[in-house]
Amino acid sequence: MNHFDFSHDHFTLFGLPRAYRLDMATMETAFRALQTQYHPDKAASLTDADKRMALQAATRVNEAFQTLKSPLARARYLLLLAGVDTQEETNTAMPVDFLMQQMEWREAIADARAASDVDSLEALGRELRGVGRAMETDLGLLLDEQSAHAQAATVVRKLKFMEKLEQEVGDAIERLLD
Amino acid sequence: MALFQIAEPGQAAEPHQHRLAVGIDLGTTNSLVATVRSGSATVLADETGATLLPSVVHYAADGQTTVGYAAQLRQSEDPRNTIVSVKRFMGRGVKDLPDSAATPYRFVDAPGMLKIKTVAGDKSPVEVSADVLRHLKQRAEDSLGGELLGAVITVPAYFDDAQRQATKDAATLAGLNVLRLLNEPTAAAVAYGLDNAAEGIYIVYDLGGGTFDVSILKLTRGVFEVLSTSGDSALGGDDFDQRIYCWVVENAGLSLLGDHDTRLLLTHAREAKEALTDHAETRITAKLADGEVVDLALSAEVFQQITAPLVQKTISPVRKALRDAKLDMSEIKGVVMVGGATRMPHVRRAVADFFGREPLTNLDPDKVVALGAAMQANALAGNKGDDEWLLLDVIPLSLGLETMGGLTEKVIPRNSTIPTARAQDFTTYKDGQTAMAIHVVQGERELVADCRSLARFELRGIPPMVAGAARIRVTFQVDADGLLAVSAREQSTGVEASIAVKPSYGLADDEIARMLQDSMQHASEDMLARTLAEARVEAESLIAATRAALASDGQLLDAEERAEVEAALARLQAASAGDAATEIRAQTDALNQATSEFAARRMDAAVKRGLAGQKLSELG
């Protein structure tokens, strides 16, 4: 089994430039190539030391893939590499208009759920996704072109709110359909 | 004339020496063993040519153990000592069983897992499964003419950690070297995908004898990537037999059947179910122990009616898997049907209706899992074939830890690609706390009580610190078999504890499925419960802190002030015993208010004491 360098960051590991905007197809190809090399199945007939190494390497490759695949996790990771804490647990200060919008969405979810209105929930889900996408576009700009880390951290916190909301909409739809 | 071959030291004489490895499908009703011979996977038959081995074990008083068809013959005459469908008991405790009256067995509770009383002693499901596996190992070694290097054993994708661990233990007990535990639908996808050079997104619908799995896979140039999995670990062909049995009991006006009659009618029910695959009607004729004769005609239509709810029950997990994979139905390239129970025409029709297309049934639903397992075993054993492939599987249920107030903190979410690891930091709750109990759970619900308990262990020897100062990092590692190991480490001192998660007790048969469904249905209840639990935790910590302060610095208050604080304390205590989160919060705020002056005085006093202490040390 080839040596695996655990000191590499996720981008280096996948042979990708350290950037927010990634070519997903290239990343998936790199992921599969790495797993083909390091997955524990490839070490099943090797020594125990190789098996341990394969477990740790494949675990790291999966972690890297999960991180780079998700727009939110990828942005958070880039900020971490730049030494910026996104303060998602501690910093709950948000612009008032964003908070107001959040409350409106939450009420809309609650209303649609109470009315068992799957169509409205699905429309809401699309709307949220659209807003999330726009934030992801902003992140590309802030991180890759402007190096505006503090602003990017704020967008990351907002995007986390959006993901939670989308999850709620999804759960509500699923409950109504079952 | 052939030249003699001389091997290099340390190398095999034969360059293409084939290492013997098998795939075993350890099923609820039937088990199979397969291997790759001259490049193609084949199921190994016994000396009579039979490939299926009924997963039935009979224990006789003289200590003799029979497995398979021979054991099945004893079923009606000696139901208590003839163990069928033991897979349903793997990793389970007595209290987890849904309805023990439905089986003839006498269960014994034992730590970790139940046991079944037989004339040959108490048998754990692991031992019974090991007897089936031993039989298959013998068949393989007889047929292949050598000792096995190892085996891939398949498990339902929806099996939890305890069930997986129990399966691995059974294989070890049978003397098998486990190359890998492989999820059944993934094994089927390998056999199907490699045979058909399939590319794209496929769904495997696997309805076996006792379990239902659905997995969504993306097939890309030899990589089989599981995107999501869902299922019901207590739904299968057996349940269809049970429905026919109930229908017979009702329509023949029977009551209080003995073990023997129950077993007899269940066997007839299974035969009727199989007959209805190709016929519009079948007869159920049986002579009961008291001489009464049951003779009923069952039509395919009635059979469909009485089992429609079971078929419907398979659709929710399919929806869930699609949602978890963030896929739309239009992105699915094909639906692969696996498991003997998918032979039932109305099951096929329901799947076709749901997906709006005919499912793929051009493979033997009984054998495809074993064949896929054999291919994987061959690859893991290091026998290089023409094509190489890679399986990337996931865990079916989220793994987490119990936190304050009986809440679950998810550490690894369901459908994470394995192997995977994740660390989470926790801290101490009380001043001077030197130990921390780690409770590992599996499931989707917010409350620990609604999830499955996998293991408990303690991290001891944490140096006394103020509450919240310790940094305890708990690491979960899930290996390629889907098995979990947990370790905990106090960061500042390096105190460490770890455990390979062994099942502490089991889930009820339908509990995993129920847990997942409930997590959706009760999400709002959970939120309420969570709010309440959090309010209580906060209240209790404030009560404890206030009491401690009163004990150490009570002299800072006059009698009236102290009475006020104690009244607020009592009111919070009363509220905390109730179920109203808002009331607990209100009284928490009130107590905070009532003690604010007290807190300020204690702060002053502490500062004075601190200064005094400093002076002393300076003097010293």
Side-chain angles (χ1 to χ4, degrees):
Chain A
M1 176 139 293
N2 289 335
H3 178 71
F4 184 93
D5 191 340
F6 287 94
S7 68
H8 283 330
D9 68 55
H10 298 340
F11 292 98
T12 315
L13 177 62
F14 279 51
L16 295 166
R18 189 185 287 192
Y20 180 79
R21 293 171 185 145
L22 288 184
D23 178 29
M24 288 296 146
T26 312
M27 185 184 66
E28 285 189 19
T29 309
F31 166 66
R32 293 196 190 103
L34 283 167
Q35 285 296 19
T36 301
Q37 215 178 330
Y38 293 107
H39 193 277
D41 284 356
K42 303 294 168 188
S45 57
L46 304 180
T47 64
D48 284 351
D50 279 328
K51 285 182 190 168
R52 266 197 307 278
M53 218 276 283
L55 174 65
Q56 285 168 6
T59 297
R60 171 64 73 87
V61 173
N62 278 333
E63 181 195 344
F65 186 55
Q66 288 310 319
T67 307
L68 297 187
K69 199 166 63 170
S70 145
L72 177 60
R74 186 167 72 244
R76 187 186 292 139
Y77 183 66
L78 275 167
L79 288 168
L80 176 81
L81 290 179
V84 179
D85 181 359
T86 52
Q87 300 179 324
E88 285 158 75
E89 304 298 332
T90 48
N91 187 346
T92 49
M94 281 285 167
V96 176
D97 55 343
F98 182 74
L99 290 176
M100 293 299 287
Q101 179 68 73
Q102 284 280 318
M103 275 165 59
E104 280 169 31
W105 277 322
R106 258 173 224 287
E107 277 168 29
I109 295 172
D111 290 349
R113 192 162 40 201
S116 301
D117 186 349
V118 175
D119 290 344
S120 293
L121 284 169
E122 277 176 348
L124 204 56
R126 281 192 295 276
E127 186 188 338
L128 294 173
R129 193 78 281 275
V131 175
R133 286 255 159 80
M135 288 181 182
E136 289 163 26
T137 310
D138 288 350
L139 281 174
L141 209 65
L142 293 168
L143 288 166
D144 291 356
E145 290 172 31
Q146 302 170 350
S147 294
H149 292 149
Q151 276 167 280
T154 306
V155 179
V156 163
R157 286 196 295 275
K158 285 186 179 175
L159 195 53
K160 192 174 179 188
F161 269 93
M162 299 308 295
E163 282 206 348
K164 270 194 192 145
L165 271 182
E166 276 185 67
Q167 182 67 38
E168 275 177 41
V169 171
D171 288 350
I173 292 174
E174 199 163 307
R175 223 172 307 142
L176 289 176
L177 289 181
D178 275 346
Chain B
M1 179 189 143
L3 295 171
F4 288 111
Q5 289 182 326
I6 297 172
E8 292 251 358
Q11 280 195 349
E14 204 186 336
H16 299 296
Q17 194 188 31
H18 189 79
R19 300 173 185 180
L20 300 181
V22 295
I24 294 179
D25 176 359
L26 182 61
T28 308
T29 36
N30 292 298
S31 297
L32 297 94
V33 57
T35 194
V36 173
R37 262 199 293 218
S38 352
S40 70
T42 39
V43 175
L44 301 174
D46 66 7
E47 61 281 357
T48 69
T51 49
L52 293 183
L53 177 74
S55 306
V56 182
V57 183
H58 177 260
Y59 295 100
D62 62 3
Q64 211 188 341
T65 304
T66 39
V67 180
Y69 287 107
Q72 208 169 36
L73 292 175
R74 316 294 297 274
Q75 214 174 306
S76 293
E77 138 218 351
D78 190 13
R80 287 197 171 173
N81 298 305
T82 312
I83 318 299
V84 300
S85 299
V86 75
K87 193 171 176 178
R88 291 188 168 220
F89 307 136
M90 293 291 269
R92 297 290 176 255
V94 168
K95 72 183 183 61
D96 303 320
L97 297 180
D99 182 11
S100 56
T103 75
Y105 311 123
R106 289 156 299 166
F107 296 108
V108 187
D109 214 353
M113 211 183 302
L114 61 77
K115 288 192 172 191
I116 303 162
K117 245 187 207 318
T118 76
V119 286
D122 298 347
K123 299 284 178 185
S124 96
V126 169
E127 292 170 84
V128 181
S129 300
D131 284 327
V132 174
L133 289 169
R134 210 173 278 122
H135 194 92
L136 291 170
K137 176 177 183 257
Q138 192 59 51
R139 177 189 290 186
E141 289 181 342
D142 289 349
S143 155
L144 301 174
E147 211 169 303
L148 298 181
L149 172 90
V152 166
I153 316 279
T154 63
V155 288
Y158 218 50
F159 254 19
D160 67 23
D161 195 82
Q163 293 168 306
R164 281 169 199 271
Q165 190 62 57
T167 305
K168 197 170 181 178
D169 290 349
T172 310
L173 193 61
L176 285 163
N177 169 33
V178 181
L179 295 168
R180 183 73 72 235
L181 294 180
L182 179 60
N183 289 331
E184 287 159 10
T186 310
V190 169
Y192 177 83
L194 294 179
D195 267 6
N196 297 275
E199 292 268 305
I201 293 168
Y202 284 81
I203 292 201
V204 180
Y205 178 103
D206 180 358
L207 188 60
T211 56
F212 172 65
D213 282 332
V214 51
S215 285
I216 304 183
L217 292 103
K218 186 176 182 180
L219 279 55
T220 325
R221 288 185 293 278
V223 178
F224 295 77
E225 188 182 351
V226 179
L227 301 177
S228 67
T229 194
S230 186
D232 187 332
S233 66
L235 175 63
D238 284 3
D239 297 291
F240 290 73
D241 303 350
Q242 197 78 35
R243 289 291 158 104
I244 296 179
Y245 164 81
C246 292
W247 178 85
V248 170
V249 168
E250 202 184 309
N251 284 272
L254 307 173
S255 59
L256 282 176
L257 291 171
D259 290 343
H260 171 271
D261 287 343
T262 301
R263 183 38 65 195
L264 180 74
L265 288 179
L266 276 171
T267 304
H268 280 281
R270 194 189 65 230
E271 286 163 6
K273 175 187 72 179
E274 286 165 3
L276 288 173
T277 294
D278 300 310
H279 300 92
E281 194 178 283
T282 187
R283 285 204 89 74
I284 298 170
T285 314
K287 192 173 173 188
L288 302 182
D290 62 1
E292 190 181 345
V293 174
V294 172
D295 185 27
L296 292 167
L298 176 63
S299 70
E301 205 186 327
V302 168
F303 175 53
Q304 282 168 31
Q305 271 167 22
I306 60 176
T307 56
L310 295 175
V311 178
Q312 203 45 47
K313 245 177 120 176
T314 65
I315 299 300
S316 306
V318 174
R319 276 217 189 88
K320 198 161 294 152
L322 280 167
R323 204 177 91 70
D324 280 355
K326 297 190 170 69
L327 284 173
D328 195 73
M329 206 101 85
S330 62
E331 294 169 86
I332 307 299
K333 189 121 175 261
V335 184
V336 180
M337 301 290 268
V338 182
T342 60
R343 285 209 177 83
M344 287 184 274
H346 65 306
V347 170
R348 291 185 176 187
R349 210 169 314 125
V351 172
D353 286 349
F354 180 76
F355 287 100
R357 81 176 80 207
E358 284 304 314
L360 301 159
T361 52
N362 59 334
L363 31 82
D364 186 331
D366 288 323
K367 291 180 183 161
V368 63
V369 168
L371 293 174
M375 291 164 155
Q376 184 66 358
N378 191 54
L380 294 180
N383 296 322
K384 295 279 181 231
D386 295 338
D387 39 16
E388 276 208 46
W389 68 89
L390 176 69
L391 307 187
L392 299 171
D393 223 312
V394 301
I395 53 162
L397 292 157
S398 302
L399 293 161
L401 284 171
E402 174 171 354
T403 61
M404 290 305 302
L407 301 176
T408 316
E409 176 76 23
K410 278 180 195 165
V411 179
I412 298 182
R414 70 170 190 254
N415 290 320
S416 293
T417 306
I418 52 173
T420 186
R422 185 96 170 263
Q424 195 110 340
D425 286 348
F426 293 87
T427 189
T428 44
Y429 165 62
K430 281 188 186 139
D431 286 347
Q433 185 178 338
T434 57
M436 186 180 245
I438 314 265
H439 184 198
V440 185
V441 297
Q442 189 161 27
E444 311 306 320
R445 296 286 300 276
E446 298 230 338
L447 296 181
V448 163
D450 299 325
C451 290
R452 173 183 168 69
S453 167
L454 289 180
R456 291 171 189 273
F457 67 105
E458 263 186 23
L459 176 67
R460 292 179 174 281
I462 304 170
M465 290 181 238
V466 289
R471 280 280 159 272
I472 289 131
R473 174 154 296 179
V474 181
T475 306
F476 280 43
Q477 170 81 60
V478 181
D479 66 16
D481 291 325
L483 293 172
L484 174 68
V486 181
S487 60
R489 184 185 161 89
E490 203 288 307
Q491 295 293 90
S492 61
T493 56
V495 173
E496 199 156 349
S498 67
I499 190 169
V501 176
K502 287 273 185 177
S504 47
Y505 58 89
L507 272 185
D509 271 346
D510 58 349
E511 205 166 328
I512 304 178
R514 191 185 57 70
M515 283 191 307
L516 252 184
Q517 267 159 18
D518 286 3
S519 76
M520 307 303 168
Q521 279 153 12
H522 301 309
S524 53
E525 270 175 52
D526 279 355
M527 281 315 293
L528 283 177
R530 188 172 191 120
T531 315
L532 178 61
E534 280 170 356
R536 276 196 187 133
V537 168
E538 205 182 315
E540 273 154 28
S541 96
L542 182 61
I543 291 170
T546 309
R547 283 221 182 98
L550 284 173
S552 62
D553 296 319
Q555 76 284 356
L556 296 172
L557 296 173
D558 64 30
E560 198 184 326
E561 286 167 331
R562 186 174 177 126
E564 210 177 296
V565 169
E566 279 179 349
L569 191 67
R571 277 195 297 274
L572 177 56
Q573 220 158 0
S576 183
D579 286 336
T582 47
E583 176 63 12
I584 300 175
R585 291 227 186 278
Q587 293 302 340
T588 303
D589 288 347
L591 180 58
N592 263 321
Q593 202 103 61
T595 54
S596 64
E597 175 59 27
F598 182 32
R601 280 186 213 166
R602 289 185 69 218
M603 188 71 82
D604 279 351
V607 169
K608 278 179 197 149
R609 270 202 297 272
L611 288 177
Q614 205 168 18
K615 265 196 185 136
L616 270 174
S617 70
E618 272 171 14
L619 282 172

